[in-house]
Amino acid sequence: VFTHRDPADLYETLKALSDEELDRIAGMLAALAFGQDDCNRLDTDESLFNRVACDLEIDMRAHWRPDRSFLERRNKQQLIAIAEECGYAEGVSLIGGFKKSELVSGLLRFFEAAHAAETPSAAQAKALQWLPEAMAFPAVDPDARAQASDDESLDEAA
C-alpha cells in the first residue's frame, strides 16, 4: 500500500484509510520502533526490551512452535542439537545417521505429538519447553553458554 515517496501522496493515502486500518498501522509502528538495539546480535543484556518482555512474562512457547520452514533452514548439526535438546533423540538410536530430511520430518512429528498429547511423556515435556535461544527473554547466547560449560569442565578437572 505504501509505495509513495512523496509525503503529500502518503498523507492522501493515510486519509483514505479507515480508523481500524489506522489503528493497526499505529500498533505496528509502535512494535517496530520497540525492540533490540542491535539486530545483528542477540540481546542477552538487561536491556529495556528484555526488561519489558520479562515483566510482561512473555513466553514465546505460547505463540510459536518449530515448523517445517524453521527446521529446513537449519543444517544437519543444528538439527541434531535440537533433537538432543528437545527430547527427540532420547527415543531414537543413531540419530547422526539420519538424512537432513529425515531429521526435519521426525522432529516435526515429535513436536506435533508433544503438543497433541494430553499427558506428555518426559521427552515430550522437553519438546514443549524447547525454544531457540533467540526467542528467550533475554536471549541466550549459545556460544557464551558453550564457553561457560567448557570453563566449568576445566574447573572441575583442576
Side-chain angles (χ1 to χ4, degrees):
V1 171
F2 297 107
T3 59
H4 306 288
R5 295 194 185 271
D6 179 24
D9 286 344
L10 178 59
Y11 176 70
E12 290 303 317
T13 301
L14 288 172
K15 280 181 23 178
L17 297 177
S18 69
D19 287 346
E20 181 181 326
E21 290 169 320
L22 288 171
D23 284 343
R24 282 190 286 171
I25 288 172
M28 180 189 71
L29 289 174
L32 290 173
F34 177 73
Q36 293 190 159
D37 292 331
D38 183 356
C39 291
N40 294 319
R41 67 171 183 78
L42 289 177
D43 186 1
T44 59
D45 302 323
E46 283 296 316
S47 66
L48 176 61
F49 179 76
N50 283 325
R51 288 183 64 189
V52 170
C54 289
D55 286 349
L56 294 175
E57 298 179 356
I58 294 175
D59 186 351
M60 289 304 295
R61 290 171 194 89
H63 309 284
W64 181 87
R65 72 173 75 165
D67 60 10
R68 182 171 296 281
S69 176
F70 171 82
L71 294 170
E72 286 177 343
R73 286 192 305 260
R74 306 290 159 284
N75 65 38
K76 184 176 175 181
Q77 288 309 111
Q78 290 170 322
L79 291 170
I80 290 171
I82 291 169
E84 290 170 349
E85 292 169 6
C86 77
Y88 175 64
E90 293 175 17
V92 179
S93 61
L94 304 173
I95 198 160
F98 282 30
K99 293 178 184 175
K100 179 181 174 180
S101 61
E102 294 171 325
L103 282 168
V104 168
S105 295
L107 282 164
L108 278 173
R109 285 190 305 273
F110 182 69
F111 280 112
E112 288 170 8
H115 283 277
E118 284 188 34
T119 308
S121 68
Q124 289 173 330
K126 279 186 180 180
L128 295 173
Q129 292 302 308
W130 185 84
L131 270 181
E133 294 93 348
M135 290 189 179
F137 297 108
V140 177
D141 183 350
D143 296 331
R145 185 172 58 187
Q147 179 63 40
S149 178
D150 291 345
D151 292 348
E152 287 175 14
S153 298
L154 289 174
D155 289 345
E156 290 174 7

